[in-house]
Amino acid sequence: MPFVLLATCADPPASAADDAPLTAALDELGVRAEWAAWDDPAAGFSRADLVVLRSPWDYTQRREEFLSWCDSLPAVANPARVARWNTDKSYLADLTERGLPVVPTRLLKPGERITAADLADWPDAEFVLKPSVGAGSRGAARFAPGDLASAAEHLESLHGGGGLVLVQPYQRVVDREGETALVFFGGLFSHAFVKGPMLRESSDGELSAGERMRVEPDAALRSVAEDVMDAAAELLGLRRCDLLYARVDLVRRDDGAPLVLELEVTEPSLGFGHADPGAPLRCASAVRAALNG
């Protein structure tokens, strides 16, 4: 019976429980699976036929240590080079260069200041600063149009960590409609769900922060998500089917056209609690296919 270790963190948040159906689904397909913290020296990851990165969400403070651990594994999904590319949000620049409709993004290196020129393309919009290495909304902050003073102070604190900082216009449509997350297993679309906003000021008449619900994405969203999957596979020198799991987060512009917020191919929440009952089995089937090469 093939043996898989599902990598998590030592103190996983409650949201990691969303993955609970996965071990039973794997067992149903003849694959034994156990959970282990990625940095637990007693876990014995080398004994697994495959290590699947699921919720190692404390890696952001120890990214190089985490990536070295990924490199040390005989078999890991998604592959270690995917984690190296995807755990720094500067990958958005790669997707932009491929012509994909990514939310406009500026990258500020340590020591660089934020100026009016960085906001010139969206002078009347709220904007967001976030670290290029981070999980969820940690380190992200939302600012009023043109509020360079407050932004400069936050930028300095983020640069204290030594990494790049992203500057993006805030997409106010997220407050009303949330983000649509499209999930893929083995390169194939599985299901989609809506995520409520994390950086909100008011919830009056709008989607609740953190709320999730199952949706059926329309053709425009599906098409952009498929394009993102193709581009990522090409950038990484992989076949789409080599991406065991992926989540493409999209939002709509005011004119309704989709914009890419993120591509999560390292440790995304897969939304099993907001999918049809077959979703965990589809993921388990992709794991089994990965075991068989």
Side-chain angles (χ1 to χ4, degrees), residues 175-177 200 202-208:
D175 291 340
R176 302 189 303 273
E177 301 178 4
R200 67 173 313 113
S202 170
S203 60
D204 295 342
E206 298 174 344
L207 194 67
S208 297

Side-chain angles (χ1 to χ4, degrees), residues 2-19:
F3 177 52
V4 167
L5 273 173
L6 305 169
T8 184
C9 50
D11 189 19
S15 56
D18 189 67
D19 269 347

